[in-house]
Amino acid sequence: MKKKYIISNNLGINPKKATSLVYTANKFKSDIFVYFNETKANLKSIMSFMSLGLSKGDEIEIEIKGIDEKEAFDEISSIIRNLKIAMEI
């Protein structure tokens, strides 16, 4: 499963919001990756995810593959919406 988002938060992805996403991603067995400008980051690793340096207006794609991908997408999408991190496109 894949979904595209545009970062809408004025501060981009700050460490607190990134930690919430990484914590949520680690609850699932599926592989979860974020793609930005041909760079792939593991959403289960705070260092990998923060290395993307995401700012407002950046377009990302989240890809989840595995046995619990539906549940993972539902929860990660909910975090993205509730924390006003990005808008789905």
Side-chain angles (χ1 to χ4, degrees):
M1 297 180 77
K2 294 181 180 181
K3 284 188 186 178
K4 290 186 178 182
Y5 296 89
I6 293 181
I7 304 300
S8 57
N9 188 290
N10 288 332
L11 300 175
I13 303 288
N14 63 40
K16 185 175 182 181
K17 292 179 187 224
T19 299
S20 295
L21 285 171
V22 170
Y23 175 80
T24 302
N26 275 291
K27 295 186 338 185
F28 300 97
K29 293 181 180 177
S30 294
D31 293 325
I32 306 174
F33 296 102
V34 179
Y35 296 89
F36 172 64
N37 285 344
E38 299 184 27
T39 301
K40 178 180 176 180
N42 183 347
L43 191 55
K44 292 185 177 187
S45 164
I46 190 75
M47 295 300 289
S48 179
F49 183 51
M50 289 298 294
S51 73
L52 295 176
L54 299 171
S55 301
K56 184 176 182 177
D58 289 343
E59 184 178 316
I60 62 170
E61 182 173 59
I62 297 177
E63 177 183 39
I64 304 177
K65 291 183 182 178
I67 60 172
D68 54 1
E69 62 188 34
K70 172 76 169 93
E71 295 84 0
F73 249 122
D74 289 345
E75 195 159 340
I76 289 170
S77 294
S78 177
I79 295 288
I80 289 171
R81 267 191 316 279
N82 292 340
L83 294 180
K84 299 177 181 166
I85 294 170
M87 298 182 319
E88 189 174 336
I89 55 174

